[in-house]
Amino acid sequence: MFKKILIANRGEIAVRIIKTCRRLGIATVQVYSEADADSLAVELADEAVFIGPAAASESYLVVDKIVEAVRRTGAEAVHPGFGFLSENAGFARRLRDEGIAFIGPNPEAIEAMGDKITSKRFAAEAGVSTVPGHMGLIETPDEAVTIAREIGYPVMIKASAGGGGKGIRVAHSDADMAEGFAAVKAEAKNAFGDDRVFLEKFIVSPRHIEIQVLGDKHGHIVHLFERECSIQRRNQKVIEEAPSPLLDEDTRMAMGAQAVALAKAVNYDSAGTVEFVAGQDKSFYFLEMNTRIQVEHPVTELITGVDLIEQMIRSAAGEKLAFKQADLAIDGWAIESRIYAEDPYRGFLPSIGRLSRYRKPDEGERADGTVVRNDSGVREGDEISMFYDPMIAKLCVWGPDRAAAVAGLAQALEETHLEGVGQNLPFLSAVMDQSRFQAGELATSYIADEFPDGFQGLEPDNFQTDVMIASAAMMHAFQTARTDAPDRFEWTVLINGVARTVSLDLGGQGLGIRFDDGRTLLMTDADWRPGQPQLSAVLDGRPFTVEVKRRPDGYVIRHRAARERVRVLSPEVAGFYARLPERNAPDMGRMIISPMPGLMVSVDVAPGDEVKAGQTVAVIEAMKMQNIIRAERDATVKTVGVKAGDSVAADDVLIEFA
């Protein structure tokens, strides 16, 4: 076994690797860029080595710097995590030539499977089902259009060296293909240093299901069942679970057998993932093989009890697998939600800034039998940088069955609180509460299907409305009692345009809240003090946690995906509010503002230009993704406030129309 391992990555996966190494008694070395000097991974590692500027191309992707850090620290092996150099065969080969162990598969397997075009050829030879498409290299948009017509729209454009949801577009027409082909090539060149692109048929209403494989250097390979990753946005996984609600045992075994056959065909010897696109009829086709640990590996660990990071280390050290396929079984159900720094109310645009608050749910086993796990690489006070992926944490819950796991994750999300950056907690909560998700009726189009006009939250149901009214009344009573003896215990609560009269009874068993419809609910175990961002309590026997923000005349309260302005007023003041006119929103139609902080890749218009609705006017890059900005209506350009290469902040004015 190794005595010291260098981690050539950052963020939560670096922290994850450090935890396993600590348990195994292995010392760790963490490399870091300028942006990560004060990171949690640097704090937790036994040693840390500075490797350059924040840009990954000048730090985490520079092989010479990684090798030099290994030499300086005496590390025996390198764990690349995911992303960066994890699927770089040249890096793995360089380490092998230098006598340094690479904690991942051999370079030949990476070359065979890491290239999506080559991997499909290997899959076909191994008897694995493949999606119809064009595996040859494509040089021009015109050539791509011709091939797409032969395959038949819709067609997926994919970067050969892609991964992590980057370098992918779906084209539904010739125009989509021409524009998407150029965008994918540019993204691929920037993110992976390889602009090769291929095309394949896009399966309508597909599901994304992947098989976890694990091999050693002695020819032993097993699979650890499947994960379903169908809840995706921009081809980036958002919610994953294991096992899949689609598969029956026969399909599961067939997919597992094909994954193992493919791994054996390339002499695979570490953790890897064989990804399939599945139809609703349980048909499945090979997509690609990821020759690394996956972001979503925790759900597999939770249902199998196998530490995949440990197995990767043991395989790299030359140890044999300590178990066979027959020794593995599925125990319960696990679901993971990726918590991102992004604003779901603004099209999920990336958000950067400082995490001024970060409160996590308690981890470990709970009274209801579920288990909570939170993998995070940041702490309260840390900065979310524009240079890297905007992931804050992976919140996972295991339950004895799927219903328990869904309910447990919904509760854990409810207990999580973040401030300082936009975050997708309301959206994740919305999915957990949707009947379609609870029924396991998934597809990669799920988000587009369920939120066709974007995410604006959900309307509060009856229980959530009661929770918000009761919480606002309780907080108001508490603050009134602190400043002066209250002269009333009856108020008018305005919520969602409706006035509700409530009265409070401060009894010994808790707080009784009488509603104007005659119901009286009991609030107990309330945990809140003025200034706290969350209120937890039990209302009528049901525990809840809400996010609260104080306002001069009340609060903004969020429970899961429901968010409302709640005012607590005397009946007289409530009457004045009812007569106030509504304020109209300002007209923003004459300008295009930056939807996110980022770097201007191109500005495609000039003052005086006539533009049509839907026309591309600029391209912004943020979090390693290129975002096309289009005109919303026909107009004449009046001023252009930026140029290619400029850094912009969210809401900066880019273009103004006459």
Side-chain angles (χ1 to χ4, degrees):
M1 181 56 70
F2 305 116
K3 294 181 179 178
K4 184 183 288 189
I5 289 173
L6 182 140
I7 301 166
N9 214 294
R10 63 175 301 279
E12 63 87 14
I13 188 57
V15 172
R16 166 73 187 86
I17 295 166
I18 290 169
K19 289 179 178 178
T20 287
C21 287
R22 279 185 171 182
R23 182 172 58 78
L24 297 176
I26 301 171
T28 52
V29 179
Q30 177 64 51
V31 296
Y32 66 93
S33 70
E34 287 178 352
D36 289 331
D38 298 319
S39 68
L40 178 59
V42 169
E43 177 187 310
L44 294 176
D46 297 294
E47 300 175 60
V49 177
F50 174 69
I51 55 170
S57 60
E58 300 179 58
S59 52
Y60 295 107
L61 289 172
V62 181
V63 172
D64 286 343
K65 290 184 177 182
I66 303 299
V67 172
E68 174 60 23
V70 173
R71 293 298 180 212
R72 285 173 52 188
T73 59
E76 303 160 273
V78 173
H79 199 307
F82 44 68
F84 294 143
L85 296 170
S86 63
E87 295 181 282
N88 186 310
F91 177 57
R93 186 171 285 111
R94 170 75 179 276
L95 292 181
R96 185 170 66 185
D97 293 344
E98 297 271 357
I100 304 164
F102 177 71
I103 303 176
N106 60 79
E108 292 73 27
I110 296 175
E111 282 182 332
M113 291 291 96
D115 185 293
K116 293 177 175 58
I117 295 173
T118 305
S119 68
K120 281 184 165 47
R121 293 176 181 151
F122 268 96
E125 292 172 3
V128 180
S129 302
T130 57
V131 180
H134 182 85
M135 296 300 105
L137 296 181
I138 306 167
E139 299 295 342
T140 67
D142 289 343
E143 185 182 355
V145 167
T146 299
I147 295 169
R149 289 174 178 172
E150 294 173 357
I151 296 172
Y153 289 108
V155 172
M156 184 172 285
I157 315 164
K158 301 183 73 172
S160 180
K166 298 174 184 63
I168 299 176
R169 291 285 194 282
V170 176
H172 296 271
S173 65
D174 290 353
D176 287 350
M177 176 58 66
E179 182 177 75
F181 180 79
V184 170
K185 284 183 74 71
E187 282 184 6
K189 182 68 174 178
N190 183 54
F192 313 111
D194 182 345
D195 68 352
R196 291 177 300 158
V197 169
F198 69 97
L199 306 180
E200 66 184 17
K201 179 70 175 177
F202 181 70
I203 308 300
V204 177
S205 194
R207 298 171 78 130
H208 186 126
I209 299 176
E210 59 192 31
I211 300 291
Q212 176 71 58
V213 296
L214 186 63
D216 61 24
K217 295 184 181 300
H218 305 277
H220 304 120
I221 299 175
V222 298
H223 70 81
L224 289 87
F225 313 108
E226 80 277 5
R227 296 184 289 257
E228 174 140 5
C229 312
S230 295
I231 308 296
Q232 303 179 4
R233 187 187 62 262
R234 300 174 189 149
N235 301 301
Q236 176 71 59
K237 301 165 189 173
V238 179
I239 296 170
E240 304 100 342
E241 60 184 289
S244 164
L246 175 70
L247 300 191
D248 53 37
E249 191 61 23
D250 288 344
T251 309
R252 174 175 297 116
M253 290 301 102
M255 292 180 78
Q258 288 197 16
V260 169
L262 180 58
K264 286 183 176 180
V266 294
N267 298 315
Y268 202 82
D269 59 340
S270 186
T273 304
V274 180
E275 303 199 358
F276 294 91
V277 58
Q280 298 293 341
D281 60 356
K282 300 184 178 66
S283 61
F284 58 90
Y285 307 94
F286 172 74
L287 277 177
E288 62 188 14
M289 184 175 188
N290 289 309
T291 55
R292 54 172 167 80
I293 193 72
Q294 290 278 84
V295 174
E296 57 273 17
H297 75 272
V299 292
T300 294
E301 294 183 330
L302 286 168
I303 66 164
T304 63
V306 175
D307 184 327
L308 292 171
I309 299 295
E310 176 183 349
Q311 295 304 316
M312 293 181 75
I313 294 171
R314 292 190 181 279
S315 174
E319 295 185 17
K320 293 182 179 181
L321 284 179
F323 44 81
K324 299 178 181 179
Q325 190 67 57
D327 299 322
L328 297 167
I330 295 173
D331 176 24
W333 212 286
I335 304 179
E336 172 182 292
S337 58
R338 301 191 189 188
I339 301 175
Y340 284 121
E342 60 186 14
D343 189 346
Y345 302 102
R346 299 181 63 188
F348 299 94
L349 293 174
S351 177
I352 63 173
R354 190 169 300 279
L355 274 176
S356 55
R357 289 185 188 265
Y358 180 18
R359 301 196 176 178
K360 311 171 187 178
D362 292 335
E363 294 189 66
E365 188 171 358
R366 298 195 165 193
D368 61 1
T370 60
V371 176
V372 175
R373 170 175 168 175
N374 190 71
D375 285 17
S376 181
V378 294
R379 305 150 296 187
E380 188 170 281
D382 282 351
E383 191 83 14
I384 304 298
S385 168
M386 68 177 287
F387 294 101
Y388 312 115
D389 288 340
M391 185 183 292
I392 295 171
K394 301 182 308 192
L395 183 57
C396 311
V397 171
W398 176 93
D401 54 38
R402 189 172 188 273
V406 172
L409 183 53
Q411 184 64 36
L413 287 166
E414 191 175 311
E415 296 168 9
T416 305
H417 179 73
L418 294 159
E419 289 184 22
V421 296
Q423 40 76 21
N424 63 339
L425 289 170
F427 169 75
L428 297 171
S429 295
V431 175
M432 292 301 111
D433 284 343
Q434 287 183 309
S435 58
R436 176 180 169 183
F437 179 79
Q438 292 170 0
E441 298 171 358
L442 312 181
T444 56
S445 60
Y446 185 98
I447 294 176
D449 294 343
E450 297 299 311
F451 305 98
D453 301 319
F455 178 78
Q456 297 301 324
L458 301 179
E459 292 294 322
D461 60 22
N462 292 336
F463 174 72
Q464 290 175 316
T465 300
D466 288 345
V467 160
M468 293 177 182
I469 292 173
S471 297
M474 188 279 285
M475 289 186 289
H476 189 75
F478 188 95
Q479 296 193 113
T480 302
R482 291 178 72 249
T483 57
D484 194 7
D487 58 1
R488 69 171 69 242
F489 285 99
E490 181 174 298
W491 292 285
T492 297
V493 177
L494 296 182
I495 179 171
N496 200 21
V498 178
R500 303 289 301 274
T501 300
V502 298
S503 57
L504 306 184
D505 178 12
L506 302 174
Q509 293 183 336
L511 179 65
I513 303 165
R514 177 176 290 276
F515 290 78
D516 48 14
D517 59 7
R519 294 177 301 130
T520 298
L521 303 182
L522 183 66
M523 179 183 285
T524 59
D525 300 326
D527 181 10
W528 181 80
R529 293 292 183 275
Q532 289 184 345
Q534 289 176 293
L535 183 155
S536 297
V538 177
L539 184 65
D540 213 29
R542 293 178 60 178
F544 70 88
T545 299
V546 293
E547 180 182 277
V548 297
K549 293 182 180 179
R550 188 77 170 93
R551 294 292 183 264
D553 56 353
Y555 309 87
V556 173
I557 300 178
R558 179 180 68 82
H559 181 258
R560 300 191 179 183
R563 182 177 62 176
E564 294 290 345
R565 180 74 178 267
V566 186
R567 297 179 171 92
V568 185
L569 310 165
S570 68
E572 296 80 11
V573 173
F576 292 124
Y577 267 91
R579 293 193 290 273
L580 286 175
E582 291 190 13
R583 187 171 64 180
N584 294 324
D587 179 16
M588 303 296 290
R590 292 187 176 274
M591 63 184 67
I592 291 179
I593 62 174
S594 176
M596 71 198 80
L599 182 72
M600 298 302 303
V601 175
S602 68
V603 178
D604 304 309
V605 294
D609 286 356
E610 299 285 337
V611 299
K612 298 294 184 181
Q615 180 179 332
T616 297
V617 296
V619 178
I620 298 178
E621 182 177 298
M623 303 291 189
K624 298 192 266 185
M625 295 286 285
Q626 291 198 354
N627 301 270
I628 297 171
I629 309 299
R630 305 179 191 275
E632 294 185 359
R633 60 184 179 84
D634 295 353
T636 301
V637 177
K638 179 180 179 182
T639 62
V640 177
V642 292
K643 62 182 182 301
D646 286 353
S647 294
V648 295
D651 298 329
D652 279 358
V653 177
L654 306 180
I655 297 166
E656 193 172 357
F657 298 116

